[in-house]
Structure formats: structure tokens, C-alpha cells
Amino acid sequence: MSYTVAVRELCEFAAKRGDLDLRFTPSPTAQEGMVGHTTVTGRRGSPYQAEITLSGQYRHLLVRGRADGYHPAHNQLEEIKTFRGELARMPDNHRALHWAQAKIYGWLLCAARGLDELNVALVYFDIVSQKETVLREHYSATALHAYFDELCSHFIAWADLQLAHRAERDAALATLGFPHASFRPGQRDLAEAVYKAARTGRCLLAQAPTGIGKTMGTVFPLLKAAPAQKLDKVFYLAAKTSGRALALDALDALGRHAPNQALRVLELIARDKACEHPDKACHGASCPLAQGFYDRLPAARAAALATTPQSVGSAAPPPHPTAAQPMRKLDQTAVRDIALAHQVCPYYLSQELARWADVIIGDYNYYFDSSAMLHGLTVANQWQVGVLVDEAHNLIERARGMYSAELDQRLLKRIRRSAPAALKKPLDKVQRCWSALTREQEALYAVLPALPDKLQFALQQLIGAINDYLGDEPAGLDADLQHFYFDAMQFCRLSETFAAHSLFDSTLLPAQPGKPGAASSVLCIRNVVPAPFLTPRFEATRSTVLFSATLSPVHFYADTLGLPASTVSIDVASPFHADQLSVRVAGGISTRYRDRAGSAEPIAALIATQYRAQPGNYLAFFSSFDYLQQVASALDELQPDIPQFSQSRQMSEAERNAFLARFTASSQGIGFAVLGGAFAEGIDLPGSRLIGAFIATLGLPQLNPVNEQIMQRMETIFGSGYDYTYLYPGLQKVVQAAGRVIRTQADEGVVYLIDDRFQRPAVRSLLPGWWRVGMV
């Protein structure tokens, strides 16, 4: 059996040494890199050859990749690297890795074309100045061949272990059984749809109700399909920490049921949560876990992926397995323990382990963000992946955030006052360009037709100046300057792909009374339709399954997310029956903004009546904290003896837990919360812990200039502006909140839908089909 490795992966494994060092970052974006490569190769002229596909064999190891360019007239192979900043500040181990890649491509080219010698060049292209720096070495084919063999000899023992692991894993998964005595109602239907989607190479949009075991119903069939479909990885992507925990629990259950399944399961967490030294910068001169990182990485990697249990402090490589091995669970605690035992950074160890894990659990951004690591590795290594997207109704808003950027002029003015001298000039230029734009604006909010070229160029120059400054000042930037730096980079990145899928808007912020100075503004590249950015992500997978209890209507999610035309959908029948849930519409009350003051007392009276008839635990949802407080106060005046407690703004995790802890099997009271907030989805209060909900809103997004512009753009693109902007997102929140009441087949409860608009057919058609809706 052969093992295939990309040139870059081979070099990073066998030739990377020394410190972890992020000072010569951020590197250019993928788009900037492609443009830079095109610029360089376009300068060469005929008979220059670009993007040459090459491969070579070392025993049973197949090494493949694409060389950037070759000039036959000069007999010169070129490895092109784009950068920003001062090239002299590039760390030595970065340069050594680039030479390794160039030399490997050099040998592959010599072997393919029968060359006896070759000029090998590193071409560094500055994306700001558009200048090239060329470093050139002359090699014989014999020398290049020897270097190729040397790196391959370092890698092949590891490759053998991966081949053996893959064979064990696939054999175990082929016979994997369902871990429970039977499927829950609806769970088998979901599992069969997931398996068929993987088998046929399609995306699946699966609406499945709470209580059927969606996590196990998606993880199990995709793992079961992995051997036959030759899946390299399964990515389980969640919007919240609770979603990651459910996935880990499901895999634990599979591990207990089939202890010798040989799966490597990795949990990815955010860098700020994994960082052991948040007061230090990410380079060897500052952080002890960055110093010598790549020298200690091999032992840490071997310990983490050991196929037999061993001390996390052992530096010995894992033995060649002789029998099926147990699941290797690398959650955040396990990764941290291994990293600290080997004195390496836990966050960057987890990034390395992603190359070798079978199941990777993490946030949406690890695959869908513009610089997403998992997507980058998938494309670079040509992996076959299956992706599971938990609570996928959240992906639209999350993706909009990933592909939006905001710049606040107040922050710019603040950092100019205390900025280092080296940055004063580029900061002043940005301020001048920005102020000129602000002076031309008359309305408080305006959508502009195009991005201002002068401001974009000034921001790019500022980013370059900050990069140069960071090379001289290892201590880094103060918090405000760093914040603006990251915002500016995101803004410039998104400006490259600005199109009809996004708005460019400006919001004026009047000068504060008593403080002289012109008005400031906030500039925003505001993504409205993430489809153009997400479509390539879906196309890079063998199959993507998006699942949630609220994915209706299908065309709304397919359109806005950019799902392929071949996508199939399933609406899994609910295991619950109408007698379990009494759904009542209070059609005599309007919760529109103009009617809210007059609606507080009737809603309070409705809550009190229901509570007196059936004391217990209830949640009452409202569109805002102000509205919530109006009704809570009205209830307190009407029935002061009814226990009540309210969600507050910006609750800490401890405060949220305390709020939920009030809902016990023996407690009673009304919990007031905001629709779409922390308590409207993703919480589980079965049985008497929650027996009812009052939903005093349709959940429609606020009527404001921004949403009105979004509606216009949705109308232009899809022809359903109001529905796509207001109605569908609003009703999704309503159904999610109502779904907190019935969690098991033994639960019973009541839901009040409070607003006259719930009587409209267009609204009623978006409610779950198993509900039997009556009137108050």
C-alpha cells in the first residue's frame, strides 16, 4: 500500500526546526497570494512554464505537488513566496522551510525531465511594493536527489504508522455497530439519510426535531460510511461549546460500545482559551512554549497519537501496532497535558494534530472562515472529508460575521494620540482619507456604491508600517492599536472580494457635547449573503450534512448558504404528538413596537392566569430587554407572589448557570428572557423543570436602516426581500424557543404565541407540522 504526501506537508514534517515565531505575520491572504503569483509569472514571458504538476516515488511513499514555475531558457525552477513587511526580518527557520520545498520540487523536476543540474530560486514578492527579491542556488540532480531521499527517509516511518492506523480504523468502522439497543423514533431515518448522502457524495439539509438524538444520528452513519467512501477525516462543527460537548459524548458512547475502533478524536478550541501565557507574544524570545517548539514537536506528536497507552512525557515514537487499538480522545484537557509535559504550546500542538486526527470537533470558523485551517488543509492535502454542521440554522449569521469587517473612526483618533512615532505618518494619512469621506456624507446612515480607493491604499500602507514596527518591537502593540490593526487587515482582505453579496455602509457618529472636533463614522463591509464564500467550502467535501430542528423553508437556507444544486433535504417526523403540547395563539394582543406599552398588562394577566391554573416552571420570551422589563414589572404589580427572575444584559457564564439552576423538578416561577438569546435555544430542561413558554414576539429583526437595506438587497438577489430578511429568521427563533418545552416523549406542556400576526396563514405555515394550534 502506498502513502501519498504533499510536498509542503513532507517539508513541514521533516525540515521544520527551531522556534514558533509569528512576528513575520500575518502573511498575505490567499487572494493576495494568488494575485502575487500571477504577477510574478506574468512578468517572465515565453517560454516560462507556471504551475507544473510533479510527483515522485520513494519506496512506497508518493510525493506530489505543483511547482510555481520553471524557465527552460535559464534552467531555473522558482518557488514564489508572497510577503508584506521587511524581508530581512523573516525568521531563519521560515527561510529554511522555503528552501526545503524548493529543493524537493527541484528534484521532482529533474526526475521528470531528465535534468542533470538545475538552478533553484526563491522568489520573494512584496505585495505592497510589487518588488521581487530573488535568492538563487545551483544544484546537481544528484544533490537534489540525495536531499529528497533524506527528507523522505525521515517521514516514511511515520507514514507506515499512518497506513497501519488507517487500515485498523477502517476495519473497525466497517463493523461498527449502533451503540444503543435500538434507534429512537426518527433517528434511523436521519441516520439513513446521512449515510446515503455520504455514499452519493451529496450535501444534506436535515431538519430533525429535538429529542431524536441528532448527534448520534449523524456521527454514527458518517463514520460507518467512512471506509467505503475513503473518507480521510470527519469534521464535526458546532456553534457553541455545548455542541462540542455533545459530539464528544457521542464518540465516548461509541468508544464504550466498540473499544477497539482506533479512532483519533481531536477537539479544537480558540487560541485565547488554550494560551498558557496570554501576557507573552508568540515567539521564542518571549514565550517559553514557543522557544524550540519545532524541535520538541516530534516527541509531543508521538505521545499524543500513540497507538498504545504511554506516559505523556515519553519522547519515544509509538510502536508499530499489532492489534486493533482503543479510541484516542484528544480533548482540550488531554492536549494541554501532553503539550505541557513536552513544553510546547497547546494551541499550536492541536493545530499540528489536526493533520493526523480522524474526527475533529470544533467551531464553525475552523472550516468556514476565510482563513479556516481545516479547509486549507483539506485543499492542500486533497483530503476526502465528511462535514457535520450542528445547529446549522446559526450558520447564516455566523458566516455573515466571518465575511464582514468594521472600522471605527473614534478608535483611530484615540490611537493617533499615543501612537509610536514610526506610525504617526501612516495613521495621519488614513485619518485624512477617512475624514474626506465623512465630510461628504449627509445622512446618518448611507450605503456607498464602492469602496474608496484612497482609503484602501492608506490602510494597506498602515498595515505594512505596523508589520515593520513589530519586527523592531518584540513587545508588540498596545490593545487599541492591535485592535485597529486586526480590523484594518480584515477590512482590506474583504475589499478584494467586495460584490453584490455585501453592502459597504457608513454610519455617522456625531461629536460628543462639550468635545470639539468633527463627527466620526463607522465604516462596514457588511456581508448579506454568505453563499459565494461558503459554496467552495461545500464543494471541497465529499458530503456536508447540515442539521437542526429549524431549517425551514429549505430554499431559504439553500439560497443564502450557497448549497450545491444536488443538495437533498429531509424533514424527519417528530417523535412527539400533538397531545403533548398545547399551542395557543393570543390573537387579541399586538406586540408591535407602537403597541408594546399597552400590551404589557394583558400579557402579564395571561401569564398569571396560566400560572394560577397550572403552577410550575415557565419561560417568557420577549424581543428586547426593555419589553421584558415592562411585562415583568406589570406581573409584579398584578401578582407579586408569583416568583419571577429575569435575564440581564451581558450575563457571565456563572450568572447564566445560576439562571438555569432555578429550574428544578420541584421549583416554580417565571423566567423572563430575550428571544434569540442564551436561553432560547441549546438548553435542556426536561420534565417538570419546564412546563410552558410564553413567546410575546414574532422574533422579527428590528426595523432600522441597516435591515431595510438588507431587505432591498435580498429582494434584488432572491425576489423575497421581506421573507428572507424578517419573516424566516424571526419564526426560526420562535420555533427554537418553543422547542425548549417538549424534550422527551414523556413531557407535556403549553406554549402561548402572543401576537395577532400568528393567525396569518403565511406565519402558521412556518410552524411545526405536528403542532395543533388553538386560540386563547
Side-chain angles (χ1 to χ4, degrees), residues 276 289 296 299-301 303-304 310-315 333-346 349:
E276 293 290 319
L289 300 182
R296 294 191 292 272
R301 179 173 53 214
Q310 65 179 58
S311 168
V312 296
S314 171
T333 301
V335 171
R336 180 178 184 271
D337 289 345
I338 294 167
L340 296 184
H342 291 268
Q343 283 298 288
V344 296
C345 172
L349 175 60

Side-chain angles (χ1 to χ4, degrees), residues 105-316:
Y105 281 124
W107 162 245
L108 296 178
L109 184 71
C110 286
R113 305 198 177 186
L115 303 176
D116 295 327
E117 58 185 3
L118 184 68
N119 293 312
V120 178
L122 287 178
V123 180
Y124 288 103
F125 179 73
D126 187 329
I127 63 167
V128 177
S129 70
Q130 302 284 292
K131 293 180 179 179
E132 298 178 29
T133 300
V134 181
L135 307 179
R136 186 181 293 105
E137 296 285 348
H138 182 80
Y139 293 99
S140 68
T142 302
L144 293 172
H145 192 181
Y147 186 74
F148 174 80
D149 285 354
E150 178 188 353
L151 291 199
C152 289
S153 67
H154 288 313
F155 183 79
I156 198 163
W158 184 261
D160 287 342
L161 288 173
Q162 306 321 304
L163 286 171
H165 165 74
R166 177 63 174 265
E168 293 168 15
R169 186 205 76 172
D170 285 353
L173 292 180
T175 59
L176 183 66
F178 192 67
H180 304 302
S182 62
F183 286 92
R184 296 182 190 178
Q187 192 178 38
R188 180 183 286 277
D189 294 336
L190 175 62
E192 289 178 352
V194 172
Y195 185 86
K196 289 176 182 177
R199 191 184 64 196
T200 58
R202 294 185 177 188
C203 290
L204 170 68
L205 201 63
Q207 179 168 274
T210 296
I212 71 165
K214 291 191 289 290
T215 306
M216 185 63 77
T218 53
V219 170
F220 168 73
L222 193 55
L223 289 176
K224 188 73 174 173
Q229 303 311 318
K230 296 180 169 52
L231 295 185
D232 298 298
K233 315 279 181 186
V234 168
F235 302 152
Y236 189 101
L237 308 174
K240 300 178 181 178
T241 302
S242 57
R244 297 204 310 267
L246 288 172
L248 289 168
D249 289 345
L251 287 158
D252 278 342
L254 285 170
R256 291 190 298 270
H257 178 74
N260 294 326
Q261 61 184 264
L263 275 180
R264 295 168 177 170
V265 177
L266 173 68
E267 181 187 18
L268 297 175
I269 61 172
R271 185 164 75 171
D272 59 344
K273 293 183 179 180
C275 183
E276 293 290 319
H277 299 286
D279 58 325
K280 294 179 172 60
C282 292
H283 57 80
S286 177
C287 179
L289 300 182
Q291 187 177 30
F293 175 87
Y294 292 107
D295 300 326
R296 294 191 292 272
L297 176 61
R301 179 173 53 214
L305 300 177
T307 49
T308 56
Q310 65 179 58
S311 168
V312 296
S314 171

Side-chain angles (χ1 to χ4, degrees), residues 608 611-612 615 634-644 668-670:
Y611 183 86
R612 293 301 183 196
L635 179 63
D636 189 52
E637 290 183 11
L638 182 67
Q639 300 285 346
D641 61 315
I642 296 180
Q644 63 165 273
Q668 296 179 351
I670 312 295

